[in-house]
């Protein structure tokens, strides 16, 4: 619970700040009057991914500070010692290349889902525009981009409502069923089983005191 508390009280806020800064860098220069389309968002999302990775091979360098406290829990009781061992083992797992691949997959899947949701939002707005018959049809046919782009001021409220209200069950299901995640969890389970077997053997072979 102490680790969960660290994430919700500190880590999640720092993570949100990091992503927000990247989003501002990607989209902050766009004025509310400027017309944007799905391709503009795809470029922006790609920029955000590269910005938070800081050109590193890992998708989110330094992410451990979001999940785990920087110092060991102080104390000399058995419970504290066990907790510190668990924190150390958890840190070792999170620093593996396997977990970096899983984290990268989660970020990629999230960006893909977000891009799909934005595309759906644009399609819905175009359909609503066609039903209302708004705009000059001749101008629209002469400039096809006019039917695929909207002013940011008009787009933001629709995007916000669509993305906030959208259920993310499918996204979570995709992540939980990913073979990459299953493989990493199997490796972790096997490693812990081997550790327990080794401890049991060492305990049995220990000289009697």
């Amino acid at each position: 619970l102490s680790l969960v508390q660290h994430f919700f009280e500190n880590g999640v806020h720092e993570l949100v700040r990091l992503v927000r800064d990247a989003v501002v860098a990607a989209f902050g220069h766009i004025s509310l009057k400027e017309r944007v389309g799905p391709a503009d968002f795809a470029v922006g999302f790609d920029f955000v991914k590269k910005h938070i990775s800081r050109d590193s091979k890992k998708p989110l360098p330094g992410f451990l500070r979001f999940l785990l406290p920087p110092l060991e829990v102080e104390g000399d009781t058995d419970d504290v010692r066990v907790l510190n061992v668990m924190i150390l083992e958890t840190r070792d797992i999170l620093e593996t290349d396997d977990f970096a691949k899983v984290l990268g997959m989660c970020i990629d899947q999230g960006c893909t889902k977000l891009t799909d949701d934005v595309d759906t939002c644009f399609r819905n707005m175009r359909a609503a525009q066609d039903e209302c018959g708004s705009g000059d049809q001749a101008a629209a046919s002469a400039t096809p981009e006019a039917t695929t782009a909207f002013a940011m001021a008009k787009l933001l409220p629709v995007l916000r409502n669509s993305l906030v209200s959208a259920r993310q069950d499918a996204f979570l299901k995709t992540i939980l069923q990913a073979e990459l995640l299953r493989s990493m969890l199997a490796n972790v389970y096997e490693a812990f089983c081997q550790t327990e077997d080794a401890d049991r053997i060492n305990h049995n072979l220990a000289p009697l005191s």
Side-chain angles (χ1 to χ4, degrees):
L1 290 178
S2 63
L3 300 185
V4 174
Q5 183 180 10
H6 167 78
F7 174 71
F8 281 109
E9 290 187 354
N10 301 291
V12 69
H13 297 292
E14 189 173 353
L15 178 59
V16 168
R17 181 192 58 78
L18 176 67
V19 175
R20 182 181 61 226
D21 291 345
V23 171
V24 170
F27 295 96
H29 65 282
I30 301 176
S31 70
L32 293 177
K33 295 181 180 180
E34 186 172 347
R35 298 177 68 89
V36 293
D40 298 306
F41 280 89
V43 172
F45 295 154
D46 187 62
F47 175 88
V48 170
K49 284 175 55 179
K50 292 179 179 178
H51 187 85
I52 63 176
S53 70
R54 293 180 293 184
D55 296 325
S56 170
K57 293 182 179 180
K58 294 186 176 181
L60 187 58
F63 72 94
L64 276 179
R65 70 181 186 274
F66 306 136
L67 301 178
L68 299 176
L71 302 176
E72 293 184 350
V73 179
E74 296 182 357
D76 195 29
T77 65
D78 290 340
D79 290 342
V80 170
R81 283 192 288 270
V82 170
L83 177 59
N84 282 328
V85 170
M86 292 176 63
I87 293 175
L88 180 61
E89 291 176 343
T90 302
R91 187 180 297 274
D92 289 341
I93 293 172
L94 297 180
E95 288 179 336
T96 61
D97 291 337
D98 286 345
F99 184 80
K101 293 177 182 178
V102 170
L103 181 60
M105 177 202 66
C106 292
I107 294 175
D108 290 341
Q109 289 286 348
C111 288
T112 299
K113 181 66 170 61
L114 190 57
T115 301
D116 291 343
D117 289 343
V118 169
D119 288 342
T120 300
C121 185
F122 271 93
R123 286 196 298 270
N124 292 339
M125 291 182 67
R126 287 196 296 269
Q129 188 180 60
D130 292 341
E131 289 180 1
C132 294
S134 60
D136 186 349
Q137 296 297 328
S141 60
T143 56
E145 65 274 8
T147 64
T148 59
F150 296 91
M152 183 65 84
K154 182 178 180 180
L155 185 61
L156 284 178
V158 180
L159 279 175
R160 180 185 59 201
N161 293 335
S162 299
L163 297 179
V164 170
S165 61
R167 294 179 60 86
Q168 303 301 327
D169 295 352
F171 168 72
L172 293 176
K173 185 177 181 180
T174 300
I175 295 298
L176 293 175
Q177 292 181 344
E179 184 61 31
L180 195 61
L181 177 60
R182 291 172 179 263
S183 177
M184 191 204 76
L185 294 178
N187 291 338
V188 171
Y189 177 78
E190 182 179 359
F192 272 100
C193 288
Q194 292 175 352
T195 301
E196 290 181 359
D197 291 341
D199 290 342
R200 191 179 300 109
I201 292 174
N202 291 334
H203 176 73
N204 292 337
L205 295 179
L208 296 176
S209 56

